[in-house]
Amino acid sequence: MDAPARSSQFLSRFAALLTGLRPHQWSKNLLVLLPLVAAHAWRDGDAVRAALLAAGAWCLGASGLYLLNDLADLRADRAHPRKRARPLASGALPISWGVIAAAVLLSAGIALAYLAAPGAGAGWALCAYAALCIAYSARLKTWAFVDLLALAGLFTLRVVGGALAIGRVPTVWLLAFTVFLVLGLAAIKRCAELLALPPGDVGPERRGYRAGDLPVLLAFGMAAGFQAVTVLALYLQSTPARDQYAHPEWLWALVPLLLLGQARLWLATWRGQMLDDPIVYCARDPGGWALVALALITVLAAAGMR
């Protein structure tokens, strides 16, 4: 193979590698910044720096783990109508590249997390995240409802890592809200997979669900997701909310916004429009951006910009 051909092949594989890192999924790592916002620590330069480093660490680590997940799911992805186009499943990215990139990215992410703040709490949180993610890819994702709990744990560890990076302990309110909300979002993704099954298909490969499980999964997901609204409403009546915010009454606007956001996601799922992860769907949905903007304005108004 001559030099131009080798160069073209390298560039093609590098582009496939970038696609395999799933940078569009990095929006999930905004959860690492949630404790910074909840603690009103955005004026603390050291806290902002630590939170941003932790978010970057999660982006690197998560991309490495996405590659590991794709390596574990090669056979199932190659049989899937959409996932067969993924770089590893399609052959655009050599398996050796995937293995090396996964190891480098995960190691770099863990190192950056340890550098985020003294005490190494964020680093340990990312290590726990990696261990749970590997267990999820290897086995947990094949067990009904256990997979949803594992996904809730992965998202909650992002919040824990972000809190530890800025030297805070996440509150029970924040953890409970995150767990219930993520359980609902994870159930949306599973419901969308079942709704997309071709007629006569019993269920997705390497999943613990069958087509007939849809009503149970739907009920569980809606109950869990809307329980997050209950946690939010209870928090708004608590002493911490009244003490932390100059105008806590403004926060009540978050309740209908969260209800509306979840209702829109479930409606899109039922109509067969949920072709992506619900968080990625929100990132591409103008209506979702509008709800997020209104929520941020509400929080800033409640905080009195202080």
Side-chain angles (χ1 to χ4, degrees):
M1 185 182 296
D2 56 18
R6 287 197 299 271
S7 177
S8 176
Q9 182 187 62
F10 176 83
L11 291 175
S12 175
R13 290 178 174 178
F14 186 74
L17 174 61
L18 292 180
T19 301
L21 301 186
R22 304 187 204 176
H24 61 282
Q25 298 277 10
W26 290 351
S27 58
K28 297 177 180 179
N29 298 318
L30 290 174
L31 280 174
V32 177
L33 304 179
L34 184 58
L36 179 78
V37 176
H40 299 178
W42 51 74
R43 291 187 178 90
D44 184 341
D46 290 338
V48 171
R49 171 188 166 277
L52 291 176
L53 284 176
W58 248 266
C59 289
L60 292 173
S63 287
L65 290 164
Y66 287 139
L67 289 172
L68 284 179
N69 180 73
D70 289 349
L71 287 167
D73 281 352
L74 273 178
R75 190 182 72 171
D77 286 352
R78 286 168 177 165
H80 193 277
R82 285 188 299 108
K83 295 180 181 180
R84 66 178 61 172
R86 287 179 174 176
L88 285 166
S90 66
L93 180 65
I95 292 178
S96 59
W97 279 51
V99 172
I100 294 171
V104 170
L105 287 166
L106 184 55
S107 299
I110 292 174
L112 185 60
Y114 275 102
L115 291 174
W124 283 112
L126 184 53
C127 287
Y129 174 91
L132 181 56
C133 193
I134 292 171
Y136 172 81
S137 297
R139 181 61 62 182
L140 299 182
K141 68 190 302 180
T142 66
W143 297 339
F145 294 105
V146 173
D147 64 328
L148 303 186
L149 293 171
L151 287 172
L154 290 172
F155 278 85
T156 304
L157 281 169
R158 286 177 166 97
V159 175
V160 172
L164 294 176
I166 63 173
R168 304 295 180 100
V169 177
T171 66
V172 174
W173 292 110
L174 184 58
L175 294 179
F177 175 80
T178 303
V179 168
F180 283 121
L181 184 62
V182 174
L183 280 174
L185 295 176
I188 284 176
K189 186 174 182 179
R190 294 294 175 261
C191 286
E193 291 173 351
L194 293 181
L195 286 167
L197 288 174
D201 197 329
V202 295
E205 188 174 352
R206 295 201 74 223
R207 300 293 186 191
Y209 304 99
R210 297 294 176 261
D213 298 334
L214 181 60
V216 178
L217 191 57
L218 182 69
F220 176 87
M222 294 188 74
F226 288 111
Q227 188 66 23
V229 181
T230 303
V231 172
L232 175 61
L234 291 172
Y235 167 72
L236 297 182
Q237 301 179 75
S238 69
T239 300
R242 291 194 297 269
D243 291 344
Q244 191 171 11
Y245 290 89
H247 307 288
E249 64 276 5
W250 277 95
L251 294 174
W252 283 101
L254 295 176
V255 173
L257 289 175
L258 186 57
L259 282 169
L260 179 58
Q262 292 195 78
R264 293 180 76 256
L265 289 176
W266 280 109
L267 186 61
T269 302
W270 191 252
R271 289 176 174 176
Q273 300 168 353
M274 188 63 63
L275 302 179
D276 294 304
D277 182 285
I279 295 180
V280 176
Y281 176 89
C282 289
R284 297 172 177 172
D285 176 32
W289 277 106
L291 290 174
V292 170
L294 288 172
L296 288 175
I297 292 171
T298 297
V299 172
L300 291 175
M305 297 298 293
R306 65 180 184 180

